[in-house]
Amino acid sequence: MPLTEGYALFNSSTGSVMKFDGPHAQEVSALLSGNRRLVNPDAFGEQLTVQLRRNGFLVDPEFDEVAEVRERYWTARGNAPVVLLVTTTMDCNLGCYYCYESRSSDALRLDDADMLVDIATQRLGKHKRSLHVDWYGGEPLMNIDALERGSIALQEYCRREGITYHASVVSNGTRWPGDPASFIGRHKIREVQISFDGMKDNHDRRRRYRQGYRTADDHSSFDQAVALVDVLVQHTRVDIRFNADHGNSGDLMAFIELATARGWFDSPFRCVLAVAKLSGYSDRSAFLRPHELNTEEFSALETTARSLLPPQARDDQDIVSGFPHPKTSVCGALADDSAVVGADGLEYRCGLQVGEQHRAVGRFRALPITKTGAEPEHFPDRSWWAEFDPTRLRNCSRCSFLPVCWGGCPKRHLDGHQPYIDAEGLFWRRNLPRMIAEGVGEPVDGFVFTEADQFRDDL
């Protein structure tokens, strides 16, 4: 790709960048870019040839780069840490208009603590020595008794077996106990995610209290969440998720100013902010799709966040603001030994599917025994998740960017949401040049990759 001075070559498999300038820069860059071709071993001289080989720009003719990426992918699935996403309840006190979860009376029981220990034992096996539990909902603290019982049981098991234990919570910030610091310490919570939907007016309108759930202390869900973050940042990492769409994206600047003024980004523990695009993640929230921010609008919002936030406040997992290293990990939905525990006793692969029982991949809690017996349950998605491999998908397998993306969100592929899959490719074509240029410390002026650059039939 062209820079202000010279050219940059990027290898998505190795993450290497090489810059060429001088009279032969364009010729050399063209020779090493695009479709695979045979190159004379003496074309570049001994020293440069060694460097090009080391960085992956020159490979032996018989070397299968896609097969190597495939091996890396399956290794990542097998080596992923054990994470249990535990849904304590499908109930919630707030009625967010865009919520993709199904509200129901499904909830973990106190005696499900033993089930959680059994699941952890099976997933950890003999070789993995670390367990992370992500308490999830609904609003997980609306079933705080089950959370407390399950957490203590899992911690006791891990102590007994010499397994490292830590936890996180995804919460709306309105149902925490009176002493959050004690709760954090007791349950070894190293991270809390709190979501905001803009400034107070927008947030309270979107995250309103459901009828019958408002208590005497409930005046503003925004004020409650802000007051909680004030305390949490003194005791654990806090991830702030700013949910954005056309109706509240204009609040981002004011929200960052508020967070900065309250000292969230200068606190004893890290506080990071990630901008999230409200999206039709499930069939129940499909009505959102016409109202989502498009790629350009969302990118502009992320640029605003990057410009206003101090470095320590930016989400360090945000691929938009970082160098495009080849992936070495997978999401929890693809991790071989992780599980999503539904409040209904069913197993899911993705937390966004909890409550969609037709998407379950197994059952943790046994069905009641009946006199006539029950028909065997079928979980058609189980094999799909077990076999999902982006290197065998038609477009992903011929994508030049494959190792930095691995197909994007697998749920999008399962749901067959082609517009989202196409948008993922468009995102990388537009943003990868900027990321590469920032990596070599050079500006790039409006260059984008074409579809022909991205999808090559010779791979």
Side-chain angles (χ1 to χ4, degrees), residues 79-327:
N79 290 343
V82 179
V83 177
L84 299 185
L85 190 153
V86 181
T87 313
T88 67
T89 178
M90 292 304 294
D91 201 5
C92 187
N93 61 319
L94 299 184
C96 307
Y97 83 95
Y98 54 79
C99 185
Y100 51 79
E101 302 285 10
S102 61
R103 301 188 189 98
S104 73
S105 60
D106 289 331
L108 292 186
R109 306 183 298 241
L110 293 180
D111 60 3
D112 282 333
D114 293 335
M115 173 189 73
L116 295 179
V117 173
D118 288 342
I119 295 169
T121 303
Q122 295 165 10
R123 300 305 168 113
L124 287 161
K126 296 181 180 180
H127 306 293
K128 296 194 174 182
R129 313 307 297 167
S130 176
L131 173 66
H132 182 89
V133 177
D134 193 5
W135 300 103
Y136 190 69
E139 169 49 46
L141 274 75
M142 288 189 67
N143 191 6
I144 194 169
D145 290 341
L147 188 158
E148 296 256 12
R149 179 77 66 88
S151 171
I152 297 304
L154 287 167
Q155 288 185 66
E156 289 177 349
Y157 161 74
C158 289
R159 277 194 296 269
R160 187 170 64 249
E161 299 297 325
I163 293 166
T164 301
Y165 176 91
H166 35 73
S168 56
V169 178
V170 178
S171 172
N172 63 32
T174 66
R175 283 295 179 267
W176 278 63
D179 187 357
S182 175
F183 183 83
I184 291 290
R186 186 166 64 253
H187 298 296
K188 293 190 174 182
I189 295 170
R190 70 175 188 181
E191 181 180 330
V192 178
Q193 178 182 300
I194 304 291
S195 294
F196 286 89
D197 285 9
M199 294 298 286
K200 183 173 180 176
D201 287 347
N202 263 324
H203 182 98
D204 285 349
R205 184 169 58 252
R206 291 156 176 260
R207 292 184 160 242
R208 64 191 182 280
Y209 301 101
R210 294 173 63 200
Q211 187 173 2
Y213 285 80
R214 183 188 290 269
T215 71
D217 296 326
D218 290 335
H219 303 293
S220 162
S221 60
F222 181 84
D223 289 345
Q224 284 184 292
V226 166
L228 177 65
V229 174
D230 285 344
V231 176
L232 291 179
V233 293
Q234 305 301 315
H235 303 283
T236 192
R237 167 173 168 152
V238 180
D239 286 350
I240 301 298
R241 178 184 171 100
F242 187 97
N243 294 322
D245 64 6
H246 284 123
N248 69 353
S249 59
D251 285 357
L252 179 61
M253 182 179 298
F255 182 82
I256 293 175
E257 290 174 353
L258 176 141
T260 302
R262 299 186 79 90
W264 291 356
F265 304 135
D266 298 314
S267 57
F269 288 81
R270 282 199 72 193
C271 179
V272 299
L273 183 143
V275 182
K277 182 170 71 171
L278 283 176
S279 184
Y281 287 110
S282 71
D283 293 340
R284 283 189 297 273
S285 58
F287 68 91
L288 284 171
R289 290 167 191 160
H291 309 290
E292 298 170 5
L293 296 171
N294 62 34
T295 301
E296 293 83 1
E297 292 167 333
F298 186 64
S299 293
L301 204 60
E302 290 178 312
T303 299
T304 298
R306 283 199 304 275
S307 67
L308 296 174
L309 285 168
Q312 70 272 22
R314 300 168 191 158
D315 189 343
D316 56 359
Q317 307 230 337
D318 184 1
I319 58 173
V320 174
S321 60
F323 184 80
H325 293 287
K327 291 181 73 70

